[in-house]
Amino acid sequence: MALVTRRLRRPSMPVWWRRPPAPGSRRSQRQRALAELRAQGRHGPELRDVLPAFLGLGAAALGLVLLLVWAYRAFGVGGLVVMVVSLAAAAVAGLRWHRAVVRRRGGRYTAAELGRLDGQGLAVAAGRMLRRDGWRVADLSERGQLRLYAQRRGRELDLAFRPAVAVDAEPAGGPAPLREAGRPGVDHLTRVVVSPGGFSRADVLWASRQGGVHLLDGHQLQRWAEGATLEELGLPR
């Protein structure tokens, strides 16, 4: 009886897929490579990550088929055609909207989209454009004062925002470009004032006297939103 009890209590051997791989084996090397990819954030999603999306896609496809069947039974061929055309138009509109959202999140805006932004929206757009160009961005806004701090390879930016205001008529050529509006600051922090409108000649002269202050007007802001970098707009490297 004691022998039988000892046999019953003997732990069972793990199944083959749960056994630890032998050192130096292909399975061990594969697991080590997957662990390194996960640590670097380069490993793709696993089945449990994409399964809910696949189930949702399947449910949507099934619902669409049932909707078309109902339209055909209720209204005949004409109703089916109208339903297909409506769904196609909705799909095209949804695709365009999604592409616009992805483009804006990537830091690219059209002139019309920039014109609809308020102060907070302009700060968000500027942060996205900075990240697009490789800057690390922190929001330092407080008490209604919009401000961004950005850093890249030892360089530092301090962005402030000014709403669009009416300015007096400028001489031919408009405001001075960024490279003429300021010079390196003593603390190596480059300050940029962003406005969707324009700057007066007095603003440009004021910025040139401060040291390290640069003005980004609406025209330059549009070029930045289209993909140009701040260096291409005249910011000292």
Side-chain angles (χ1 to χ4, degrees), residues 37 43-45 61 79 92 94 101 104 109 144 149 151 193 206 211:
L37 290 175
H43 186 261
V92 171
V101 170
R104 290 193 294 268
Y109 290 76
Y149 171 79
Q151 188 178 34
V193 181
W206 169 84

Side-chain angles (χ1 to χ4, degrees), residues 164-183:
V165 295
V167 297
D168 298 333
E170 296 288 347
L178 285 177
R179 60 180 175 273
E180 299 177 5
R183 58 185 181 275

Side-chain angles (χ1 to χ4, degrees), residues 1 6 11 20 27 36 40 44 67 78 103 106 119 140 143 154 158-160 193 195 199-200 226-227:
M1 178 62 71
R6 285 197 297 269
R27 183 182 171 200
E36 293 178 356
Q40 299 172 4
L67 182 63
R103 173 175 49 77
L140 303 182
R143 298 180 181 178
D158 180 9
L159 274 75
V193 181
S195 175
F199 293 98
S200 66
E226 291 173 353

